[in-house]
């Protein structure tokens, strides 16, 4: 009997060992194998969501279940493929995997995040079912500038994926539609020198999702947005010298309506600080522009090589560059690094001890509290820097007008007192954007002929430090025929969300504007 019990114990032990080994083998299946098994099961199970017509991989929410305030940061964490103005691409490893699987006819799923000119998120889900079959759902419900009827989910089927490899950029398209009115869909576009960020578990990397560029002073803005007048200048020239009427797309875009208002004109900045040119695109025109900006600003262009200079047929090219450098009469003090909102280690300059030394270059526009004030810094020449903490307004025009109104109603001390302090963050930003939202959309000239903008690019470089600052901006566009209390010791610390404007003395309209919330994007 004892021998039987021993034998049973041995058999039971061996069985437990076998079960344990099998469990360990299953647990050690790679994430990639699990993902592929999940995806293959999902692609073949026939389950479909009401709006997207296919089921996303298990670790992604269905497109219609995403919150309306879905953030770029969350999209990056969720493995979405995100292009930030073409200058940064997040989760490129996901894009590479998807393209490789398409090439090898392996079913796969990818979610792409793009943005309108106004900064609204467009989400595109692509379900590759194999055999050149791509089911697509586009979520435009967050595009508040589109017609209400267009803020919906649209489904398509395409049979071809292509990669457009240009000298400076890469674009991925879906083409050859089976259904729907779309001839093709651009899934993503990014510059070849774009910063690639795959470490989406790094919160610091995610926080640098990008700075948005507004096209006009009337465009609705979000935090971390900048604007410069160069694109408005070439739009004005296109509208007035060539189209000879408002530029109207069908359907019309809000951004085009805003640009047509011409809220910034060449008269708002001295002509010695800008250069503009328009003509028929050719190598000779390109060389003329390069020579002109070299002679006037000692600069080279960062955008001219992005355009096609051998265009056949009726076409135009419009260009503008603005460059300014300014110095404070007295260099401000270097201050210790500190917090900006929730951000640590922000570099600051300002006034350490005696404010009397800086009285000539600081004017208090208004002061209601340490969180509601605006000041103006003057420079050696005509440039003025206006800084407003916690700005109010949905666009730069509204913010600027609100500053002016508060200034008119302020009866307090407009001079900074000896014991008062000033703290301003160092700023440095360099952005290059292609405005695809206004590209390849037909609009009529007054003559009745139809044209379209084939490429629209703008760069903005801006720096501000204790000595002064500088700004350089380019814009180019190719167009082709188409078929507070007196006794209070006030704090002037720019250490949270603020707006900044640059204007010339005795001019009413600024030539640069920014709204800054995430200081890490500017240092």
């Amino acid at each position: 009997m004892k021998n039987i019990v021993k034998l049973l114990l041995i058999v039971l032990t061996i069985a437990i060992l076998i079960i344990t080994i099998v469990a360990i083998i299953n647990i050690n299946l790679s994430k990639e194998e699990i993902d592929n098994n999940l995806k293959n099961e999902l692609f073949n199970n026939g389950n479909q969501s009401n709006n997207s017509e296919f089921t996303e991989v298990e670790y992604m929410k269905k497109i219609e279940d995403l919150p309306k305030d879905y953030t770029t940061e969350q999209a990056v964490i969720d493995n979405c493929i995100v292009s930030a103005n073409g200058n940064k691409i997040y989760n490129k490893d996901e894009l590479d995997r998807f393209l490789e699987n398409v090439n090898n006819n392996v079913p796969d799923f990818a979610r792409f995040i793009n943005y309108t000119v106004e900064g609204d998120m467009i989400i595109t889900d692509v379900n590759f079912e194999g055999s050149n079959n791509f089911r697509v759902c586009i979520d435009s419900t967050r595009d508040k500038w589109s017609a209400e009827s267009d803020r919906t989910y649209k489904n398509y089927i395409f049979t071809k994926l292509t990669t457009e490899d240009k000298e400076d950029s890469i674009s991925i398209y879906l083409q050859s539609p089976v259904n729907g009115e779309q001839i093709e869909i651009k899934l993503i576009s990014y510059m070849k020198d774009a910063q690639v960020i795959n470490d989406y578990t790094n919160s610091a990397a995610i926080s640098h999702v990008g700075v948005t560029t507004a096209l006009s002073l009337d465009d609705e803005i979000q935090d971390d947005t900048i604007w410069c007048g160069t694109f408005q200048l070439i739009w004005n020239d296109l509208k007035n010298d060539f189209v000879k009427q408002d530029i109207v797309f069908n359907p019309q875009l809000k951004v085009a309506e805003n640009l047509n208002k011409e809220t910034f004109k060449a008269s708002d900045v001295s002509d010695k600080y800008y250069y503009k040119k328009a003509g028929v695109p050719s190598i000779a025109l390109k060389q003329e522009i390069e020579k002109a900006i070299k002679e006037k600003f000692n600069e080279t262009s960062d955008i001219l090589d992005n355009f096609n200079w051998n265009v056949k047929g009726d076409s135009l090219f419009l260009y503008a560059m603005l460059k300014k450098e300014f110095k404070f009469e007295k260099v401000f003090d270097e201050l210790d690094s500190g917090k900006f909102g929730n951000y640590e280690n922000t570099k600051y300059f300002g006034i350490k001890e005696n404010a009397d030394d800086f009285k000539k270059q600081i004017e208090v526009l208004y002061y209601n509290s340490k969180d509601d004030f605006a000041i103006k810094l003057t420079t050696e020449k005509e440039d003025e820097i206006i800084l407003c903490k916690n700005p109010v307004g949905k666009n730069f025009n509204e913010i600027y007008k609100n500053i002016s109104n508060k200034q008119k109603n302020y009866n307090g001390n407009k001079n900074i007192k000896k014991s008062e302090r000033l703290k301003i963050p160092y700023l440095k930003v360099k952005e290059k954007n292609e405005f695809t939202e206004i590209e390849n959309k037909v609009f009529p000239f007054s003559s009745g002929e139809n044209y379209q903008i084939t490429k629209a690019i703008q760069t903005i470089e801006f720096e501000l430090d204790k000595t002064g600052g500088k700004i350089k901006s380019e814009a180019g566009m190719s167009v082709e025929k188409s078929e507070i209390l007196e006794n209070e010791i006030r704090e002037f610390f720019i250490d949270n969300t603020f707006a900044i404007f640059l204007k010339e003395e005795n001019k009413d309209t600024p030539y640069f504007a920014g709204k800054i919330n995430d200081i890490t994007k500017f240092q």
Side-chain angles (χ1 to χ4, degrees):
M1 183 69 179
K2 290 182 179 179
N3 291 334
I4 294 173
V5 171
K6 287 181 180 179
L7 181 61
L8 288 173
L9 287 173
I10 292 171
V11 171
L12 181 60
T13 301
I14 293 172
I16 290 171
L17 285 172
I18 292 172
I19 292 171
T20 302
I21 291 170
V22 171
I24 291 172
I25 291 172
N26 287 333
I27 289 171
N28 283 301
L29 278 172
S30 68
K31 179 179 181 298
E32 183 177 355
E33 291 172 320
I34 293 173
D35 284 350
N36 284 337
N37 289 339
L38 271 173
K39 289 173 185 177
N40 287 332
E41 179 182 342
L42 288 166
F43 293 147
N44 293 313
N45 67 7
N47 292 331
Q48 296 180 339
S49 66
N50 291 334
N51 290 321
S52 62
E53 292 190 349
F54 57 81
T55 304
E56 294 83 346
V57 292
E58 189 171 287
Y59 55 80
M60 281 188 173
K61 288 185 178 180
K62 294 180 180 179
I63 195 168
E64 63 267 30
D65 291 338
L66 294 174
K68 292 308 171 190
D69 60 350
Y70 193 54
T71 64
T72 304
E73 288 83 355
Q74 189 58 50
V76 172
I77 294 171
D78 291 345
N79 292 332
C80 301
I81 301 163
V82 182
S83 175
N85 300 321
N87 296 315
K88 295 178 184 176
I89 179 168
Y90 296 82
N91 297 322
K92 186 174 181 295
D93 52 349
E94 294 286 317
L95 174 63
D96 293 339
R97 184 214 70 232
F98 180 74
L99 295 178
E100 182 179 358
N101 283 340
V102 170
N103 187 55
N104 294 326
N105 200 33
V106 176
D108 202 352
F109 172 87
R111 176 169 288 161
F112 296 84
I113 306 293
N114 292 288
Y115 297 89
T116 66
V117 171
E118 297 86 3
D120 295 334
M121 181 183 288
I122 305 294
I123 305 173
T124 304
D125 280 6
V126 182
N127 179 6
F128 174 60
E129 298 178 327
S131 302
N132 295 320
N133 195 45
F134 300 86
R135 289 185 177 270
V136 178
C137 179
I138 299 179
D139 176 3
S140 301
T141 59
R142 296 163 187 80
D143 183 6
K144 54 182 174 291
W145 292 109
S146 66
E148 188 171 353
S149 59
D150 292 330
R151 289 178 225 152
T152 184
Y153 304 88
K154 292 187 178 180
N155 301 291
Y156 305 95
I157 299 175
F158 291 88
T159 59
K160 184 179 180 182
L161 183 145
T162 61
T163 300
E164 184 180 57
D165 191 341
K166 293 185 178 179
E167 183 178 348
D168 62 332
S169 65
I170 292 177
S171 300
I172 311 295
Y173 293 89
L174 287 177
Q175 299 173 329
S176 301
V178 172
N179 70 338
E181 72 277 10
Q182 291 286 98
I183 297 176
E184 67 177 16
I185 292 175
K186 182 188 288 188
L187 295 178
I188 195 167
S189 181
Y190 58 93
M191 308 301 291
K192 286 187 175 178
D193 60 356
Q195 182 182 1
V196 175
I197 301 175
N198 293 323
D199 182 17
Y200 44 81
T201 59
N202 183 336
S203 59
I206 295 172
S207 70
H208 284 75
V209 168
V211 175
T212 302
T213 299
L215 277 172
S216 84
L217 287 168
D218 282 325
D219 288 348
E220 186 168 330
I221 62 171
Q222 302 169 347
D223 288 336
D224 307 315
T225 300
I226 57 177
W227 167 87
C228 190
T230 46
F231 193 85
Q232 182 73 69
L233 290 179
I234 61 174
W235 183 277
N236 297 347
D237 287 348
L238 175 63
K239 171 190 166 185
N240 297 323
D241 299 341
F242 298 97
V243 181
K244 300 187 184 299
Q245 63 182 19
D246 280 354
I247 296 170
V248 179
F249 302 116
N250 187 17
Q252 177 65 312
L253 300 176
K254 184 65 177 179
V255 67
E257 291 180 1
N258 292 337
L259 286 165
N260 284 334
K261 296 175 185 177
E262 299 187 47
T263 48
F264 178 81
K265 298 180 179 181
S267 58
D268 291 314
V269 65
S270 301
D271 57 7
K272 61 182 176 181
Y273 297 116
Y274 73 88
Y275 167 84
K276 59 191 182 82
K277 181 71 178 179
V280 177
S282 65
I283 297 300
L285 178 62
K286 178 175 183 283
Q287 292 172 343
E288 180 184 346
I289 295 171
E290 289 172 330
K291 181 181 178 182
I293 60 176
K294 183 67 175 177
E295 291 177 350
K296 188 165 188 174
F297 303 122
N298 193 29
E299 286 288 351
T300 57
S301 173
D302 294 320
I303 66 172
L304 291 179
D305 288 338
N306 299 141
F307 291 89
N308 182 4
W309 296 97
N310 295 303
V311 182
K312 295 181 179 179
D314 293 336
S315 57
L316 294 168
F317 178 76
L318 301 99
Y319 174 87
M321 175 183 278
L322 180 148
K323 183 182 179 183
K324 269 181 169 279
E325 295 186 13
F326 49 88
K327 296 290 183 183
F328 297 123
E329 187 174 336
K330 181 175 175 59
V331 175
F332 283 103
D333 298 326
E334 183 83 18
L335 303 182
D336 293 336
S337 295
K339 288 190 69 175
F340 181 99
N342 297 320
Y343 305 99
E344 303 284 351
N345 301 317
T346 299
K347 293 180 62 179
Y348 284 103
F349 67 90
I351 301 175
K352 238 180 212 182
E353 296 179 354
N354 190 355
D356 283 348
D357 294 340
F358 299 92
K359 272 188 174 181
K360 291 183 179 179
Q361 60 193 47
I362 303 171
E363 179 185 343
V364 180
L365 301 181
Y366 66 85
Y367 187 95
N368 297 320
S369 73
K370 67 177 184 178
D371 292 318
D372 181 17
F373 67 84
I375 58 174
K376 178 168 70 178
L377 308 180
T378 58
T379 63
E380 290 180 340
K381 296 182 179 179
E382 68 273 2
D383 298 291
E384 300 172 340
I385 299 96
I386 297 170
L387 298 161
C388 165
K389 190 171 182 180
N390 291 318
V392 177
K394 65 183 180 182
N395 56 49
F396 284 125
N397 249 343
E398 283 191 9
I399 293 173
Y400 195 69
K401 288 176 181 177
N402 286 333
I403 293 172
S404 298
N405 290 334
K406 286 185 177 183
Q407 179 186 2
K408 291 175 184 176
N409 296 324
Y410 179 65
N411 297 317
N413 188 355
K414 295 190 176 182
N415 296 314
I416 192 162
K417 295 183 286 189
K418 181 176 181 178
S419 57
E420 293 177 331
R421 299 292 172 260
L422 172 70
K423 186 165 71 172
I424 301 170
Y426 280 77
L427 299 177
K428 185 175 183 179
V429 64
K430 182 177 182 179
E431 289 293 316
K432 181 178 182 180
N433 297 286
E434 181 173 352
F435 303 111
T436 56
E437 183 95 338
I438 60 174
E439 293 178 354
N440 302 313
K441 297 184 183 298
V442 176
F443 61 94
F445 277 35
S446 61
S447 62
E449 296 176 306
N450 289 328
Y451 283 75
Q452 61 183 355
I453 298 168
T454 54
K455 189 178 286 288
I457 298 176
Q458 184 183 36
T459 64
I460 302 177
E461 299 177 42
F462 174 63
E463 294 183 27
L464 183 69
D465 60 32
K466 64 182 180 180
T467 66
K470 58 184 178 181
I471 182 169
K472 173 190 170 185
S473 176
E474 285 184 279
M477 179 164 53
S478 56
V479 180
E480 295 182 15
K481 193 173 182 179
S482 173
E483 320 223 291
I484 195 78
L485 295 177
E486 184 64 23
N487 293 325
E488 175 184 5
I489 300 302
R490 301 168 294 182
E491 284 184 1
F492 299 94
F493 291 180
I494 309 293
D495 58 1
N496 212 322
T497 303
F498 70 99
I500 180 171
F501 296 88
L502 300 186
K503 61 176 281 291
E504 288 190 1
E505 185 180 6
N506 300 322
K507 302 287 186 180
D508 293 329
T509 306
Y511 59 81
F512 172 81
K515 181 184 177 185
I516 296 162
N517 175 64
D518 182 351
I519 195 65
T520 62
K521 298 175 183 176
F522 294 84
Q523 291 199 353

